[in-house]
């Protein structure tokens, strides 16, 4: 099912939401080669993805992690590593990963920005992403595997949406082969579906 809107109109223009979406898409196209160049995609993930073991120093330098046929990420101690909790938030692993995150972020983010205001929303988004990154590092501090995606930040946005608008319904497009139907679902149920989607997206890493 795909989120296509809600019954909660916004009052202002969500400039920060637009900017974050543009940054996600721009990074995917310009830095990651839109996924068409496997080497460029892997290089971006290795260099700018979050590697817990690089931040903590618990992963041995030179350790290799396979990320594709004949492709490996190598643990290093480059200065850019300290920035990866932020840079990883704008990277994605595939078109499905990008489009899924972008759709959920658009449907929920504009309302949260409307409530918080532009500045507080931008800070809240970054704090949620950094909190998710910190949790990942604490839970697996020696991991040499690069992590990418805005899922942690978007999960925080969706949690804020649920707190701010607990009674709002979200319009979800249900597609089954040639059958299409729009369903109105409560926000809490969509949040559960979101976490299920994140589990499915994370299975390849496991």
């Amino acid at each position: 099912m795909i989120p296509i809107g809600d019954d909660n109109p916004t009052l202002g223009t969500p400039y920060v939401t637009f900017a974050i979406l543009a940054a996600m898409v721009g990074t995917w196209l310009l830095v990651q080669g839109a996924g068409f160049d496997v080497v460029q995609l892997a290089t971006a993930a290795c260099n700018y993805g979050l590697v817990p073991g690089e931040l903590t120093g618990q992963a041995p330098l030179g350790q290799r992690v396979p990320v594709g046929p004949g492709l490996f990420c190598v643990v290093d101690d480059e200065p850019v590593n300290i920035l990866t909790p932020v840079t990883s938030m704008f990277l994605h692993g595939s078109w499905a990963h990008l489009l899924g995150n972008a759709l959920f972020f658009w449907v929920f983010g504009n309302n949260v920005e409307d409530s918080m205001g532009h500045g507080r929303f931008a800070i809240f988004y970054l704090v949620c992403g950094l909190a998710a990154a910190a949790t990942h590092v604490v839970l697996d501090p020696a991991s040499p595997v690069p992590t990418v995606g805005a899922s942690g930040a978007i999960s925080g946005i969706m949690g804020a949406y649920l707190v701010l608008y607990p009674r709002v319904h979200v319009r979800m497009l249900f597609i089954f082969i040639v059958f299409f139907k729009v369903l109105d679902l409560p926000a809490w149920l969509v949040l559960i579906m979101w976490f299920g989607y994140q589990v499915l997206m994370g299975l390849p890493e496991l």
Side-chain angles (χ1 to χ4, degrees):
M1 287 193 284
I2 302 171
I4 58 175
D6 57 18
D7 54 7
N8 190 21
T10 57
L11 300 178
T13 303
Y15 295 111
V16 176
T17 300
F18 285 140
I20 292 173
L21 287 171
M24 288 183 192
V25 174
T27 301
W28 174 247
L29 296 177
L30 300 177
V31 179
Q32 299 186 268
F36 297 123
D37 185 331
V38 177
V39 174
Q40 184 176 356
L41 181 64
T43 301
C46 293
N47 291 340
Y48 305 115
L50 170 65
V51 180
E54 288 183 340
L55 291 175
T56 63
Q58 294 187 30
L61 291 178
Q63 182 176 358
R64 301 199 308 173
V65 177
V67 292
L71 297 174
F72 299 87
C73 282
V74 179
V75 174
D76 58 41
D77 57 355
E78 294 293 328
V80 72
N81 293 344
I82 195 67
L83 300 177
T84 56
V86 175
T87 58
S88 63
M89 292 165 54
F90 297 94
L91 300 172
H92 290 84
S94 65
W95 277 102
H97 190 196
L98 171 67
L99 294 176
N101 275 353
L103 279 171
F104 276 89
F105 179 59
W106 166 247
V107 170
F108 294 94
N110 57 4
N111 290 116
V112 177
E113 181 177 355
D114 208 37
S115 176
M116 290 186 174
H118 307 307
R120 286 195 299 171
F121 177 73
I123 294 171
F124 182 74
Y125 180 87
L126 290 173
V127 168
C128 288
L130 291 173
T135 301
H136 179 49
V137 172
V138 169
L139 291 177
D140 199 359
S143 173
V145 180
T147 301
V148 299
S151 303
I154 297 173
S155 294
I157 297 298
M158 293 183 66
Y161 184 98
L162 190 60
V163 171
L164 292 168
Y165 311 107
R167 302 178 186 275
V168 170
H169 281 67
V170 179
R171 292 188 297 278
M172 302 289 289
L173 177 62
F174 176 77
I175 303 175
F176 182 72
I177 308 177
V178 295
F179 175 76
F180 299 84
K181 184 176 179 61
V182 175
L183 304 175
D184 282 341
L185 301 179
W188 63 266
L189 180 57
V190 177
L191 185 62
I192 292 175
M193 294 170 58
W194 160 259
F195 284 114
Y197 167 76
Q198 295 308 309
V199 171
L200 290 177
M201 289 294 101
L203 287 178
E205 181 177 312
L206 296 177

